[in-house]
Amino acid sequence: MLTSINALAPIFIVILFGALVRRLKFLTSDFWYQLEKLVYFVFFPLMLTSRIAQADFSGLEAGKVLLAVVLLVASMTLILLLLRPLISRQGPEFTSVFQGAIRFN
């Protein structure tokens, strides 16, 4: 529990600080647009990479997780291909349905 708080607290502090600065109208709206792009494309990926690099994966059984993911995607692919005539979507429409069904993000 404490680890989760330690991981999330800096994020919420930065968000609250940004909300306060915005509410005080200290900076223009053009600045906020550029800042949002900078955070989304630079700072957020850096933060994720940093946290993943610091994570302890020693107790994780990656083989079982990988097998589960591969079996899940393969099963869903087979089901979608079998149901393709019933879905009645062709070309790009079917690929959109296909991608939406097998991607697990």
Side-chain angles (χ1 to χ4, degrees):
M1 176 71 174
L2 190 56
T3 306
S4 299
I5 292 171
N6 287 339
L8 295 175
I11 298 167
F12 283 106
I13 290 169
V14 169
I15 291 170
L16 290 172
F17 179 72
L20 176 67
V21 171
R22 189 171 196 167
R23 185 170 278 251
L24 295 174
K25 298 190 187 298
F26 182 70
L27 303 165
T28 66
S29 60
D30 291 335
F31 171 80
W32 287 107
Y33 174 73
Q34 296 300 325
L35 181 63
E36 286 174 1
K37 285 177 54 175
L38 181 67
V39 167
Y40 184 78
F41 290 109
V42 178
F43 293 142
F44 186 63
L46 286 174
M47 181 195 67
L48 289 178
T49 304
S50 169
R51 291 292 178 186
I52 291 171
Q54 295 172 5
D56 179 22
F57 295 110
S58 60
L60 196 69
E61 294 188 37
K64 291 180 181 179
V65 173
L66 180 62
L67 179 63
V69 169
V70 169
L71 289 175
L72 175 68
V73 171
S75 300
M76 198 61 194
T77 299
L78 181 63
I79 291 168
L80 283 167
L81 291 175
L82 291 173
L83 293 176
R84 185 174 183 174
L86 299 174
I87 295 174
S88 72
R89 303 245 191 269
Q90 297 300 319
E93 288 181 347
F94 179 74
T95 58
S96 295
V97 170
F98 183 82
Q99 288 177 17
I102 66 167
R103 287 176 41 181
F104 48 89
N105 52 347

